[in-house]
Amino acid sequence: MSYRIHRKTTVLILAIITMCGKGVMPVRSTSSSSDSYDLVITNARIVDGSGNPWFRGDVGIRDGRIVRIGRISSTEAKATIDAKNRIVAPGFIDVHTHVESLFNRPAAENFVRMGVTTLITGNCGTSSTNVAEFLGRAKSQPIAVNIATLVGHGSVRRRVMKLDDRAPTTEELKQMEAIVDQAMKDGAVGLSTGLIYVPGTYAKTDEIVDLARVVARHGGLYATHMRSEGEKVLDAIRESIQIGEQAGLPVDISHFKVSSKRLWGESSKTLQLIRDARARGLLVTVDQYAYTASSTSLDSRLPAWLLAGGREEAKKRLADKDTRERAVKEIKETLKRSGFKDYSYAMVAGYDPDKSFNGKSIAEITKQVRKKKDVKGQIEQILTMYEAGGAGMIYHGMSEDDVQRIMRESFTMVGSDSGVRQIDESVPHPRGYGNNARILGRYVRELKIISLEDAIRKMTSLPAQTFGFRDRGMVREGFAADLVIFDETTIADQATFVNPHQFPTGIDYVMVNGAVVFSAGNMTSVLPGVAVHGPGYRQVKDVARKGAP
Ligand SMILES: [Zn+2]
């Protein structure tokens, strides 16, 4: 592998990199008319994102776009990368992230270093409710990767109804519809829900259908963290499909899984519900991270009625002995129904009041703090930690068979469900560092669950098709030059549950809009990312143009 900048144009390339650092796209060369390309990647094995087998070619990039694929003379290039039989693929689109903090951590290093070039955030019901402001920040606060967002139902509901456990009034529903409508006009790609979280969990199906109808008018989709991924997962899938059919819009089911031990193996049934819906003509996709553990809040183990109104309200309820007992009883029953014998499957990822808890299970912590081993003691420990501010958790709740069965399905996309990570901050789920590399190393090369070409398709053209990105997700002439170069024989995730802050190996280069953001083991500090707008945004522009004289 070599990255060669032709000497006569070194200054220009540096200028490009400097300008990119200010959020400006690579500029057209004025130094020499013989330089037709800003960058040419030679000797590549191109996996173009379509799912087709790889082919050999050079990739010519100019002004942030792929302008030619074929044989290209290196004298036409200002800079070349000799890919020497490495795989050149479209940059990965991570369809499920939580990166509302992206503008504070603009390098997004954990994503870039696993080959991700576009992030879709606003998932699980939580987003900015001012999409114009959020996406607009990409202009004034440069970022390394491209960003798109959903508008989160939970955030919209909270803005209008706070954390109330009730149906909206007609007026409140109108207000929520207006916020969603504006978000779609401002470029959101769709509506997300988080139906296990407060306040999303308080919404009945018809409330979501009403809001999804607004999204349908703009050509957006409905992405959902369903009401259940365990015990009631089949009902939850039926509800998601019902929302899609009644509101008339595509559905993406987030982090698709079976998380109740009692239901392990039932992914054959859950997937069949989706195949049936697709056969009826409803567009349904799912996304997945390639691990048998999930990660979410500690709150998610508690009954929804307890959490109504927020933590202070819940603490008041828990101060009442009878109410506390009722909560303990319900939590215990839920655990029993899920098939886990105790909370040894629940690991603390981040607990601010006592960081020594990080990386330990609730069972271990209970033993250490309360000298108790029983489930009731563990539930008391959970309530105490909730009262002290809550914790980020990792739940080892899935089976490998289900993960693999879901991965094989043609409509399954790849999403990390991660935020932007800070090295050595807490003990987060390793998916935020390893997800894409893990699929390409473990599931493609080692276990041969899916082909390399299919894995890449799930990370590129399928997400682009699903979210309506018309010029990303493929190595095609005219498409944005979001690219990743890697060695299929060595690519591997390194992040583990014990030691998650580890970058993958085997990735050589990552490019965003034609600019190199990662090169030979190092971040380049270039920030070429842009905001990617949803279909409602384009419609508004089209109407404006048509209306012009
Ligand atoms: Zn979620």
Side-chain angles (χ1 to χ4, degrees), residues 408-439:
R408 283 195 189 97
E409 201 68 43
S410 68
F411 50 71
T412 302
M413 300 181 286
V414 173
S416 69
D417 201 2
S418 179
V420 183
R421 295 286 172 236
Q422 179 72 43
I423 280 284
D424 292 339
E425 187 182 272
S426 76
V427 190
H429 195 299
R431 63 196 179 189
Y433 283 95
N435 193 42
N436 297 83
R438 181 173 171 83
I439 289 171

PDB file of all heavy atoms in Angstrom, residues 408-439:
ATOM      1  N   ARG A 408     -28.412 -13.208   7.888  1.00  0.00           N
ATOM      2  CA  ARG A 408     -28.529 -13.818   6.557  1.00  0.00           C
ATOM      3  C   ARG A 408     -29.658 -13.233   5.720  1.00  0.00           C
ATOM      4  O   ARG A 408     -29.689 -13.379   4.515  1.00  0.00           O
ATOM      5  CB  ARG A 408     -28.787 -15.321   6.703  1.00  0.00           C
ATOM      6  CG  ARG A 408     -27.559 -16.122   7.054  1.00  0.00           C
ATOM      7  CD  ARG A 408     -27.810 -17.613   6.820  1.00  0.00           C
ATOM      8  NE  ARG A 408     -26.717 -18.398   7.347  1.00  0.00           N
ATOM      9  CZ  ARG A 408     -26.736 -18.988   8.551  1.00  0.00           C
ATOM     10  NH1 ARG A 408     -27.800 -18.883   9.326  1.00  0.00           N
ATOM     11  NH2 ARG A 408     -25.693 -19.678   8.967  1.00  0.00           N
ATOM     12  N   GLU A 409     -30.620 -12.592   6.369  1.00  0.00           N
ATOM     13  CA  GLU A 409     -31.806 -12.107   5.653  1.00  0.00           C
ATOM     14  C   GLU A 409     -31.427 -10.947   4.726  1.00  0.00           C
ATOM     15  O   GLU A 409     -30.676 -10.063   5.125  1.00  0.00           O
ATOM     16  CB  GLU A 409     -32.837 -11.659   6.701  1.00  0.00           C
ATOM     17  CG  GLU A 409     -34.236 -11.610   6.197  1.00  0.00           C
ATOM     18  CD  GLU A 409     -34.819 -12.990   5.869  1.00  0.00           C
ATOM     19  OE1 GLU A 409     -34.627 -13.931   6.658  1.00  0.00           O
ATOM     20  OE2 GLU A 409     -35.489 -13.095   4.828  1.00  0.00           O
ATOM     21  N   SER A 410     -31.972 -10.945   3.504  1.00  0.00           N
ATOM     22  CA  SER A 410     -31.544  -9.947   2.507  1.00  0.00           C
ATOM     23  C   SER A 410     -31.884  -8.517   2.936  1.00  0.00           C
ATOM     24  O   SER A 410     -31.213  -7.577   2.545  1.00  0.00           O
ATOM     25  CB  SER A 410     -32.178 -10.244   1.157  1.00  0.00           C
ATOM     26  OG  SER A 410     -33.574 -10.023   1.233  1.00  0.00           O
ATOM     27  N   PHE A 411     -32.943  -8.335   3.740  1.00  0.00           N
ATOM     28  CA  PHE A 411     -33.368  -6.978   4.103  1.00  0.00           C
ATOM     29  C   PHE A 411     -32.753  -6.482   5.413  1.00  0.00           C
ATOM     30  O   PHE A 411     -33.192  -5.486   5.974  1.00  0.00           O
ATOM     31  CB  PHE A 411     -34.904  -6.882   4.163  1.00  0.00           C
ATOM     32  CG  PHE A 411     -35.579  -7.961   4.992  1.00  0.00           C
ATOM     33  CD1 PHE A 411     -35.477  -7.968   6.372  1.00  0.00           C
ATOM     34  CD2 PHE A 411     -36.313  -8.964   4.369  1.00  0.00           C
ATOM     35  CE1 PHE A 411     -36.106  -8.943   7.137  1.00  0.00           C
ATOM     36  CE2 PHE A 411     -36.943  -9.963   5.124  1.00  0.00           C
ATOM     37  CZ  PHE A 411     -36.839  -9.950   6.516  1.00  0.00           C
ATOM     38  N   THR A 412     -31.739  -7.178   5.919  1.00  0.00           N
ATOM     39  CA  THR A 412     -31.082  -6.749   7.158  1.00  0.00           C
ATOM     40  C   THR A 412     -29.921  -5.803   6.858  1.00  0.00           C
ATOM     41  O   THR A 412     -29.029  -6.143   6.081  1.00  0.00           O
ATOM     42  CB  THR A 412     -30.556  -7.961   7.940  1.00  0.00           C
ATOM     43  OG1 THR A 412     -31.652  -8.837   8.219  1.00  0.00           O
ATOM     44  CG2 THR A 412     -29.892  -7.537   9.239  1.00  0.00           C
ATOM     45  N   MET A 413     -29.954  -4.626   7.482  1.00  0.00           N
ATOM     46  CA  MET A 413     -28.860  -3.652   7.349  1.00  0.00           C
ATOM     47  C   MET A 413     -27.989  -3.692   8.603  1.00  0.00           C
ATOM     48  O   MET A 413     -28.321  -4.364   9.577  1.00  0.00           O
ATOM     49  CB  MET A 413     -29.427  -2.240   7.187  1.00  0.00           C
ATOM     50  CG  MET A 413     -30.321  -2.081   5.960  1.00  0.00           C
ATOM     51  SD  MET A 413     -30.948  -0.397   5.791  1.00  0.00           S
ATOM     52  CE  MET A 413     -32.187  -0.351   7.079  1.00  0.00           C
ATOM     53  N   VAL A 414     -26.912  -2.933   8.560  1.00  0.00           N
ATOM     54  CA  VAL A 414     -25.966  -2.919   9.673  1.00  0.00           C
ATOM     55  C   VAL A 414     -26.025  -1.562  10.387  1.00  0.00           C
ATOM     56  O   VAL A 414     -25.973  -0.517   9.735  1.00  0.00           O
ATOM     57  CB  VAL A 414     -24.536  -3.188   9.152  1.00  0.00           C
ATOM     58  CG1 VAL A 414     -23.518  -3.021  10.262  1.00  0.00           C
ATOM     59  CG2 VAL A 414     -24.457  -4.575   8.536  1.00  0.00           C
ATOM     60  N   GLY A 415     -26.170  -1.595  11.700  1.00  0.00           N
ATOM     61  CA  GLY A 415     -26.173  -0.360  12.491  1.00  0.00           C
ATOM     62  C   GLY A 415     -25.539  -0.632  13.836  1.00  0.00           C
ATOM     63  O   GLY A 415     -25.783  -1.674  14.449  1.00  0.00           O
ATOM     64  N   SER A 416     -24.715   0.279  14.320  1.00  0.00           N
ATOM     65  CA  SER A 416     -23.953   0.005  15.543  1.00  0.00           C
ATOM     66  C   SER A 416     -24.733   0.308  16.821  1.00  0.00           C
ATOM     67  O   SER A 416     -24.406  -0.199  17.885  1.00  0.00           O
ATOM     68  CB  SER A 416     -22.668   0.824  15.553  1.00  0.00           C
ATOM     69  OG  SER A 416     -22.985   2.191  15.704  1.00  0.00           O
ATOM     70  N   ASP A 417     -25.750   1.215  16.725  1.00  0.00           N
ATOM     71  CA  ASP A 417     -26.468   1.658  17.928  1.00  0.00           C
ATOM     72  C   ASP A 417     -25.517   2.374  18.891  1.00  0.00           C
ATOM     73  O   ASP A 417     -25.734   2.369  20.098  1.00  0.00           O
ATOM     74  CB  ASP A 417     -27.142   0.465  18.633  1.00  0.00           C
ATOM     75  CG  ASP A 417     -28.290   0.894  19.544  1.00  0.00           C
ATOM     76  OD1 ASP A 417     -28.592   2.099  19.598  1.00  0.00           O
ATOM     77  OD2 ASP A 417     -28.869   0.021  20.210  1.00  0.00           O
ATOM     78  N   SER A 418     -24.473   2.970  18.366  1.00  0.00           N
ATOM     79  CA  SER A 418     -23.448   3.576  19.231  1.00  0.00           C
ATOM     80  C   SER A 418     -23.504   5.099  19.188  1.00  0.00           C
ATOM     81  O   SER A 418     -24.059   5.694  18.269  1.00  0.00           O
ATOM     82  CB  SER A 418     -22.064   3.112  18.777  1.00  0.00           C
ATOM     83  OG  SER A 418     -21.066   3.711  19.584  1.00  0.00           O
ATOM     84  N   GLY A 419     -22.907   5.705  20.187  1.00  0.00           N
ATOM     85  CA  GLY A 419     -22.639   7.132  20.179  1.00  0.00           C
ATOM     86  C   GLY A 419     -21.195   7.372  19.768  1.00  0.00           C
ATOM     87  O   GLY A 419     -20.454   6.423  19.501  1.00  0.00           O
ATOM     88  N   VAL A 420     -20.798   8.659  19.719  1.00  0.00           N
ATOM     89  CA  VAL A 420     -19.398   8.983  19.476  1.00  0.00           C
ATOM     90  C   VAL A 420     -18.644   8.708  20.772  1.00  0.00           C
ATOM     91  O   VAL A 420     -19.014   9.200  21.836  1.00  0.00           O
ATOM     92  CB  VAL A 420     -19.217  10.454  19.060  1.00  0.00           C
ATOM     93  CG1 VAL A 420     -17.759  10.739  18.753  1.00  0.00           C
ATOM     94  CG2 VAL A 420     -20.077  10.777  17.852  1.00  0.00           C
ATOM     95  N   ARG A 421     -17.600   7.909  20.691  1.00  0.00           N
ATOM     96  CA  ARG A 421     -16.886   7.473  21.893  1.00  0.00           C
ATOM     97  C   ARG A 421     -15.668   8.339  22.179  1.00  0.00           C
ATOM     98  O   ARG A 421     -15.023   8.848  21.264  1.00  0.00           O
ATOM     99  CB  ARG A 421     -16.444   6.019  21.740  1.00  0.00           C
ATOM    100  CG  ARG A 421     -17.598   5.032  21.651  1.00  0.00           C
ATOM    101  CD  ARG A 421     -18.248   4.824  23.011  1.00  0.00           C
ATOM    102  NE  ARG A 421     -19.459   4.042  22.896  1.00  0.00           N
ATOM    103  CZ  ARG A 421     -20.657   4.453  23.329  1.00  0.00           C
ATOM    104  NH1 ARG A 421     -20.792   5.636  23.888  1.00  0.00           N
ATOM    105  NH2 ARG A 421     -21.712   3.683  23.201  1.00  0.00           N
ATOM    106  N   GLN A 422     -15.384   8.422  23.469  1.00  0.00           N
ATOM    107  CA  GLN A 422     -14.165   9.081  23.930  1.00  0.00           C
ATOM    108  C   GLN A 422     -13.309   7.975  24.527  1.00  0.00           C
ATOM    109  O   GLN A 422     -13.783   7.233  25.397  1.00  0.00           O
ATOM    110  CB  GLN A 422     -14.545  10.118  24.996  1.00  0.00           C
ATOM    111  CG  GLN A 422     -13.385  10.875  25.600  1.00  0.00           C
ATOM    112  CD  GLN A 422     -12.800  11.867  24.623  1.00  0.00           C
ATOM    113  OE1 GLN A 422     -13.529  12.569  23.930  1.00  0.00           O
ATOM    114  NE2 GLN A 422     -11.486  11.904  24.555  1.00  0.00           N
ATOM    115  N   ILE A 423     -12.071   7.865  24.053  1.00  0.00           N
ATOM    116  CA  ILE A 423     -11.194   6.789  24.537  1.00  0.00           C
ATOM    117  C   ILE A 423     -11.155   6.747  26.070  1.00  0.00           C
ATOM    118  O   ILE A 423     -10.967   7.770  26.725  1.00  0.00           O
ATOM    119  CB  ILE A 423      -9.763   6.988  23.967  1.00  0.00           C
ATOM    120  CG1 ILE A 423      -9.705   6.465  22.528  1.00  0.00           C
ATOM    121  CG2 ILE A 423      -8.699   6.314  24.794  1.00  0.00           C
ATOM    122  CD1 ILE A 423      -9.641   4.959  22.384  1.00  0.00           C
ATOM    123  N   ASP A 424     -11.364   5.555  26.589  1.00  0.00           N
ATOM    124  CA  ASP A 424     -11.281   5.267  28.028  1.00  0.00           C
ATOM    125  C   ASP A 424     -12.365   5.894  28.897  1.00  0.00           C
ATOM    126  O   ASP A 424     -12.271   5.876  30.124  1.00  0.00           O
ATOM    127  CB  ASP A 424      -9.889   5.610  28.586  1.00  0.00           C
ATOM    128  CG  ASP A 424      -8.836   4.648  28.022  1.00  0.00           C
ATOM    129  OD1 ASP A 424      -9.231   3.546  27.567  1.00  0.00           O
ATOM    130  OD2 ASP A 424      -7.656   4.999  28.008  1.00  0.00           O
ATOM    131  N   GLU A 425     -13.426   6.412  28.258  1.00  0.00           N
ATOM    132  CA  GLU A 425     -14.545   6.933  29.036  1.00  0.00           C
ATOM    133  C   GLU A 425     -15.564   5.811  29.245  1.00  0.00           C
ATOM    134  O   GLU A 425     -16.163   5.332  28.290  1.00  0.00           O
ATOM    135  CB  GLU A 425     -15.180   8.103  28.280  1.00  0.00           C
ATOM    136  CG  GLU A 425     -16.237   8.842  29.055  1.00  0.00           C
ATOM    137  CD  GLU A 425     -16.831   9.950  28.207  1.00  0.00           C
ATOM    138  OE1 GLU A 425     -16.286  11.065  28.224  1.00  0.00           O
ATOM    139  OE2 GLU A 425     -17.823   9.694  27.504  1.00  0.00           O
ATOM    140  N   SER A 426     -15.754   5.359  30.470  1.00  0.00           N
ATOM    141  CA  SER A 426     -16.657   4.267  30.872  1.00  0.00           C
ATOM    142  C   SER A 426     -16.308   2.951  30.170  1.00  0.00           C
ATOM    143  O   SER A 426     -15.251   2.828  29.548  1.00  0.00           O
ATOM    144  CB  SER A 426     -18.121   4.654  30.672  1.00  0.00           C
ATOM    145  OG  SER A 426     -18.489   4.602  29.317  1.00  0.00           O
ATOM    146  N   VAL A 427     -17.185   1.961  30.305  1.00  0.00           N
ATOM    147  CA  VAL A 427     -16.942   0.654  29.678  1.00  0.00           C
ATOM    148  C   VAL A 427     -18.110   0.359  28.727  1.00  0.00           C
ATOM    149  O   VAL A 427     -18.970  -0.460  29.028  1.00  0.00           O
ATOM    150  CB  VAL A 427     -16.816  -0.467  30.735  1.00  0.00           C
ATOM    151  CG1 VAL A 427     -16.326  -1.770  30.093  1.00  0.00           C
ATOM    152  CG2 VAL A 427     -15.834  -0.059  31.833  1.00  0.00           C
ATOM    153  N   PRO A 428     -18.155   1.067  27.587  1.00  0.00           N
ATOM    154  CA  PRO A 428     -19.330   0.944  26.707  1.00  0.00           C
ATOM    155  C   PRO A 428     -19.345  -0.380  25.950  1.00  0.00           C
ATOM    156  O   PRO A 428     -18.359  -1.117  25.940  1.00  0.00           O
ATOM    157  CB  PRO A 428     -19.145   2.104  25.735  1.00  0.00           C
ATOM    158  CG  PRO A 428     -17.663   2.283  25.642  1.00  0.00           C
ATOM    159  CD  PRO A 428     -17.139   1.957  27.008  1.00  0.00           C
ATOM    160  N   HIS A 429     -20.470  -0.641  25.303  1.00  0.00           N
ATOM    161  CA  HIS A 429     -20.603  -1.803  24.423  1.00  0.00           C
ATOM    162  C   HIS A 429     -19.541  -1.696  23.311  1.00  0.00           C
ATOM    163  O   HIS A 429     -19.356  -0.629  22.730  1.00  0.00           O
ATOM    164  CB  HIS A 429     -22.012  -1.779  23.821  1.00  0.00           C
ATOM    165  CG  HIS A 429     -22.445  -3.051  23.182  1.00  0.00           C
ATOM    166  ND1 HIS A 429     -21.775  -3.605  22.111  1.00  0.00           N
ATOM    167  CD2 HIS A 429     -23.483  -3.884  23.446  1.00  0.00           C
ATOM    168  CE1 HIS A 429     -22.396  -4.724  21.748  1.00  0.00           C
ATOM    169  NE2 HIS A 429     -23.428  -4.923  22.536  1.00  0.00           N
ATOM    170  N   PRO A 430     -18.853  -2.800  22.989  1.00  0.00           N
ATOM    171  CA  PRO A 430     -17.785  -2.731  21.976  1.00  0.00           C
ATOM    172  C   PRO A 430     -18.261  -2.452  20.556  1.00  0.00           C
ATOM    173  O   PRO A 430     -17.454  -2.131  19.676  1.00  0.00           O
ATOM    174  CB  PRO A 430     -17.142  -4.124  22.054  1.00  0.00           C
ATOM    175  CG  PRO A 430     -18.174  -5.006  22.677  1.00  0.00           C
ATOM    176  CD  PRO A 430     -18.946  -4.129  23.612  1.00  0.00           C
ATOM    177  N   ARG A 431     -19.576  -2.533  20.327  1.00  0.00           N
ATOM    178  CA  ARG A 431     -20.111  -2.330  18.972  1.00  0.00           C
ATOM    179  C   ARG A 431     -19.725  -0.974  18.376  1.00  0.00           C
ATOM    180  O   ARG A 431     -19.616  -0.839  17.164  1.00  0.00           O
ATOM    181  CB  ARG A 431     -21.637  -2.487  19.000  1.00  0.00           C
ATOM    182  CG  ARG A 431     -22.340  -1.443  19.853  1.00  0.00           C
ATOM    183  CD  ARG A 431     -23.774  -1.839  20.183  1.00  0.00           C
ATOM    184  NE  ARG A 431     -24.398  -0.806  21.018  1.00  0.00           N
ATOM    185  CZ  ARG A 431     -25.572  -0.930  21.610  1.00  0.00           C
ATOM    186  NH1 ARG A 431     -26.273  -2.043  21.470  1.00  0.00           N
ATOM    187  NH2 ARG A 431     -26.071   0.040  22.344  1.00  0.00           N
ATOM    188  N   GLY A 432     -19.550   0.027  19.237  1.00  0.00           N
ATOM    189  CA  GLY A 432     -19.209   1.365  18.756  1.00  0.00           C
ATOM    190  C   GLY A 432     -17.802   1.455  18.186  1.00  0.00           C
ATOM    191  O   GLY A 432     -17.445   2.427  17.523  1.00  0.00           O
ATOM    192  N   TYR A 433     -16.983   0.467  18.455  1.00  0.00           N
ATOM    193  CA  TYR A 433     -15.619   0.427  17.927  1.00  0.00           C
ATOM    194  C   TYR A 433     -15.448  -0.671  16.878  1.00  0.00           C
ATOM    195  O   TYR A 433     -14.544  -0.601  16.055  1.00  0.00           O
ATOM    196  CB  TYR A 433     -14.619   0.144  19.054  1.00  0.00           C
ATOM    197  CG  TYR A 433     -14.321   1.331  19.927  1.00  0.00           C
ATOM    198  CD1 TYR A 433     -15.001   1.544  21.120  1.00  0.00           C
ATOM    199  CD2 TYR A 433     -13.350   2.261  19.551  1.00  0.00           C
ATOM    200  CE1 TYR A 433     -14.714   2.630  21.932  1.00  0.00           C
ATOM    201  CE2 TYR A 433     -13.057   3.353  20.353  1.00  0.00           C
ATOM    202  CZ  TYR A 433     -13.744   3.530  21.545  1.00  0.00           C
ATOM    203  OH  TYR A 433     -13.458   4.612  22.346  1.00  0.00           O
ATOM    204  N   GLY A 434     -16.262  -1.725  16.956  1.00  0.00           N
ATOM    205  CA  GLY A 434     -15.929  -2.904  16.157  1.00  0.00           C
ATOM    206  C   GLY A 434     -16.967  -3.409  15.184  1.00  0.00           C
ATOM    207  O   GLY A 434     -16.662  -4.267  14.354  1.00  0.00           O
ATOM    208  N   ASN A 435     -18.199  -2.889  15.242  1.00  0.00           N
ATOM    209  CA  ASN A 435     -19.314  -3.559  14.575  1.00  0.00           C
ATOM    210  C   ASN A 435     -19.057  -3.962  13.122  1.00  0.00           C
ATOM    211  O   ASN A 435     -19.169  -5.132  12.755  1.00  0.00           O
ATOM    212  CB  ASN A 435     -20.571  -2.679  14.665  1.00  0.00           C
ATOM    213  CG  ASN A 435     -21.824  -3.427  14.284  1.00  0.00           C
ATOM    214  OD1 ASN A 435     -22.008  -4.583  14.673  1.00  0.00           O
ATOM    215  ND2 ASN A 435     -22.687  -2.796  13.513  1.00  0.00           N
ATOM    216  N   ASN A 436     -18.703  -2.986  12.270  1.00  0.00           N
ATOM    217  CA  ASN A 436     -18.533  -3.307  10.842  1.00  0.00           C
ATOM    218  C   ASN A 436     -17.374  -4.271  10.614  1.00  0.00           C
ATOM    219  O   ASN A 436     -17.484  -5.221   9.833  1.00  0.00           O
ATOM    220  CB  ASN A 436     -18.323  -2.024  10.031  1.00  0.00           C
ATOM    221  CG  ASN A 436     -19.535  -1.116  10.094  1.00  0.00           C
ATOM    222  OD1 ASN A 436     -19.680  -0.362  11.050  1.00  0.00           O
ATOM    223  ND2 ASN A 436     -20.403  -1.215   9.127  1.00  0.00           N
ATOM    224  N   ALA A 437     -16.260  -4.031  11.315  1.00  0.00           N
ATOM    225  CA  ALA A 437     -15.092  -4.907  11.157  1.00  0.00           C
ATOM    226  C   ALA A 437     -15.392  -6.311  11.659  1.00  0.00           C
ATOM    227  O   ALA A 437     -14.905  -7.305  11.114  1.00  0.00           O
ATOM    228  CB  ALA A 437     -13.900  -4.318  11.905  1.00  0.00           C
ATOM    229  N   ARG A 438     -16.214  -6.406  12.695  1.00  0.00           N
ATOM    230  CA  ARG A 438     -16.590  -7.713  13.237  1.00  0.00           C
ATOM    231  C   ARG A 438     -17.383  -8.521  12.204  1.00  0.00           C
ATOM    232  O   ARG A 438     -17.178  -9.725  12.048  1.00  0.00           O
ATOM    233  CB  ARG A 438     -17.422  -7.503  14.505  1.00  0.00           C
ATOM    234  CG  ARG A 438     -17.854  -8.792  15.184  1.00  0.00           C
ATOM    235  CD  ARG A 438     -18.507  -8.431  16.506  1.00  0.00           C
ATOM    236  NE  ARG A 438     -19.151  -9.557  17.147  1.00  0.00           N
ATOM    237  CZ  ARG A 438     -18.527 -10.455  17.905  1.00  0.00           C
ATOM    238  NH1 ARG A 438     -17.231 -10.356  18.106  1.00  0.00           N
ATOM    239  NH2 ARG A 438     -19.191 -11.450  18.451  1.00  0.00           N
ATOM    240  N   ILE A 439     -18.289  -7.860  11.507  1.00  0.00           N
ATOM    241  CA  ILE A 439     -19.065  -8.561  10.474  1.00  0.00           C
ATOM    242  C   ILE A 439     -18.134  -9.050   9.370  1.00  0.00           C
ATOM    243  O   ILE A 439     -18.208 -10.204   8.937  1.00  0.00           O
ATOM    244  CB  ILE A 439     -20.184  -7.646   9.940  1.00  0.00           C
ATOM    245  CG1 ILE A 439     -21.246  -7.487  11.037  1.00  0.00           C
ATOM    246  CG2 ILE A 439     -20.796  -8.228   8.657  1.00  0.00           C
ATOM    247  CD1 ILE A 439     -22.298  -6.464  10.763  1.00  0.00           C
TER     248      ILE A 439
END
